[in-house]
Amino acid sequence: MIRNVLRLVPESHRAMVPGYLAMIVLSALAQAAAYVLLVPMLGAVLSGRVQDAWGWTAAIAGAALLVCVGGYRQSVIGIRIGIGMALSLQTRLGDHIATLPLGWFGSATAGRVSQLVSASVRDVMGVFAHLLAPMLTGVVVPVAVALGMLFVDPRVSLAMLLSAPLLYLVNRWGQGVYSRAEKRVHAAAEESDSRVIEFAQAQPVLRAFGAAGDGNAGLQGALQAQRRVGRGLVWASVPGLVVFSLLVQLTFVLLVFLAVALAAGSELSVPSAIALIAVSSRFVEPLNQSAELTTAMRGAANAADRITGLLATEPLPEPEEDPRPVDASVRFTDVRFAYDGGAPVIDGVSFEVPAGTTTALVGPSGSGKTTLLRLASRFYDVDAGEVAVGGHPIAGYRSGTLMAQFSLVFQDVYLFHQTIEENVRIGRVDATADDIARVAGIARVDEIVERLPDGWSTDVGEGGTSLSGGERQRVSIARALLKDAPIVLLDEATSALDPRNEAAVVRGLRELTRDKTVIVVAHRLSTIRHADQIVFLDAGRIVERGTHDELLAADGRYARFWNERSRASGWRLAAAAEPVGASTVVEEAR
């Protein structure tokens, strides 16, 4: 249980662990010695031999001094180790998460990571700060007292030692029940954390549909589940603690009975019997304390397992060599891919995007268009086949080199809780003010800045919530322009823009894609028409491929898609008068 926690101690603090453990053992042995020495001291006092008691009292005082010194030193060292662990683990977790494949991040990632870097790290650092010392003391002291009693009365010592295995087995059973319940509590906490984050980020949608309060079934269900498993954790901890406490008290009763019986049979003096009873009470007290702390220790051990599990997650493989791209081409060769071992999303896709050309990915929803963009930028590794960029397989590049080849503008835009300028500057941190002004003009971000009271210093809020969807999209296009990578990946880049801004941004996108290799997922007819190559996908397979004119002439799936889109673009809303009020109807523009 403690082994996994010890593995998480940073290298810089591991040298402290032996000294820390030595201080715990020293303090515990001194405490046990003080308890054992109570027997002759109390025996002398109760027998009227006060002068003899002074020597035993001095020995007890010396043992108590060692308890204080050892306790102080282990506390100082334990706190230093605990703080060092917290800082090290949070840094290690952050650094490791930054190396994981982008596909590792999902809808529940925020809650999981939040639990790990806060609650789990806090539980683990608490082992050295305040858990391990009293727990080990609760084990070492009773064992040392039992062994020390061999020199006082072997029969009492044997009774103490015989109770130890039974107490251990009962405690182990109780902790096993608690551990399983604690894992359920952690899983529920991850889910509720994710729901709370979602609740905070999606307030406009939730309020629009009346799900901001009791109507939010997802959040309410997660919180109720957390309360339910929390109550289950309490009930899971009760049986083990109750049975263990009962056995501890029965052990004390047995020791008292033994001492009284020996005194009644004249095999032990009454003063010695009284002293043995006093020591027996000190024997059982640390056992109860240890049992209570073992529950917390089990929770910390589970937290250590979770942290170790995340740190053991395979990072994105980084090759030793880092080739240079020979051009800006992209090639898919018999690529197959499925999410989490499910049904194939991409099934045997092969096509090439020559450098400096534009390829449009077209097809119904769920056909794999966005997945191909993610595979190209190595959000995921393919299950079979190969994706190559610049003449080399993408797995052969280091992540920094590969991502330097891409400017990405996706449909779901995320802006950081920073200023507009800082969000644009992410595209290239060393950009000059003139560079930022240039891309802002192309993407029409300058219009956003001009109407805001703080201008470029305006904080966009968490996720960019202070800006509209179209404004967020324009900021993302500006930072892509600033990066100026040779390959551009666009996924419905103008989907959130109104017609006026769309026209302006399309001009910006033309500037972004000038002399670039472009792979675009789009349903807008103007984008599709002018592509050098159109790849029509359905169910993860390429159904048709060619230029716009070639595919229209083939009169296949693409031609039907084009005709449907053309007809849909002619629909408009019109008001139709009725006897009572007016209703809105849809009619086809002629």
Side-chain angles (χ1 to χ4, degrees), residues 333-337 346-350 540-542:
T333 305
D334 198 22
V335 171
R336 288 174 169 80
F337 175 76
I346 302 297
D347 190 5
V349 168
S350 298
R541 294 175 177 271
I542 295 179

Side-chain angles (χ1 to χ4, degrees), residues 401-412:
T401 301
L402 177 64
M403 295 311 297
Q405 307 309 306
F406 294 108
S407 288
L408 296 88
V409 181
F410 286 161
Q411 184 175 3
D412 299 323

Side-chain angles (χ1 to χ4, degrees), residues 142 160 162-173 243-251 283-284 287-288 291:
M160 290 179 174
L162 287 177
S163 66
L166 181 60
L167 291 170
Y168 171 78
L169 291 174
V170 170
N171 187 45
R172 187 176 179 85
W173 163 75
V243 175
F244 186 84
S245 298
L246 179 61
L247 285 178
V248 169
Q249 296 307 316
L250 288 176
T251 300
F283 170 79
V284 299
L287 291 174
N288 275 326

Side-chain angles (χ1 to χ4, degrees), residues 203-265:
Q203 276 298 301
V205 177
L206 293 173
R207 295 188 186 190
F209 291 94
D214 294 338
N216 191 329
L219 176 61
Q220 293 296 328
L223 294 176
Q224 288 173 6
Q226 187 176 22
R227 286 194 293 268
R228 185 169 58 254
V229 296
R231 289 193 297 268
L233 180 65
V234 174
W235 285 108
S237 63
V238 167
L241 287 175
V242 168
V243 175
F244 186 84
S245 298
L246 179 61
L247 285 178
V248 169
Q249 296 307 316
L250 288 176
T251 300
F252 177 63
V253 171
L254 174 63
L255 293 174
V256 171
F257 176 79
L258 181 60
V260 172
L262 291 174

Side-chain angles (χ1 to χ4, degrees), residues 9 88 99 138 291 295 408 458 582:
V9 177
S88 171
T99 69
T295 298
L408 296 88
T458 301

Side-chain angles (χ1 to χ4, degrees), residues 114 208 339 469 477 529 569 578:
S114 173
Y339 290 103
I477 292 171
R529 181 192 293 271
S569 65
E578 292 187 353

Side-chain angles (χ1 to χ4, degrees), residues 102 339 361 369-380 403 406-415 469-470 472-480 487-497 509 512 519-521:
L102 292 175
Y339 290 103
L361 303 180
K369 303 183 297 296
T370 299
T371 300
L372 284 176
L373 295 188
R374 292 173 176 173
L375 293 176
S377 50
R378 208 184 177 193
F379 282 26
Y380 303 87
M403 295 311 297
F406 294 108
S407 288
L408 296 88
V409 181
F410 286 161
Q411 184 175 3
D412 299 323
V413 177
Y414 187 89
L415 301 184
R472 290 196 296 271
Q473 191 66 276
R474 282 192 273 172
V475 172
S476 75
I477 292 171
R479 65 189 181 194
I487 303 173
V488 179
L489 304 181
L490 303 175
D491 188 359
E492 294 289 359
T494 59
S495 61
L497 302 179
L509 288 174
L512 169 65
I519 305 178
V520 56
V521 173

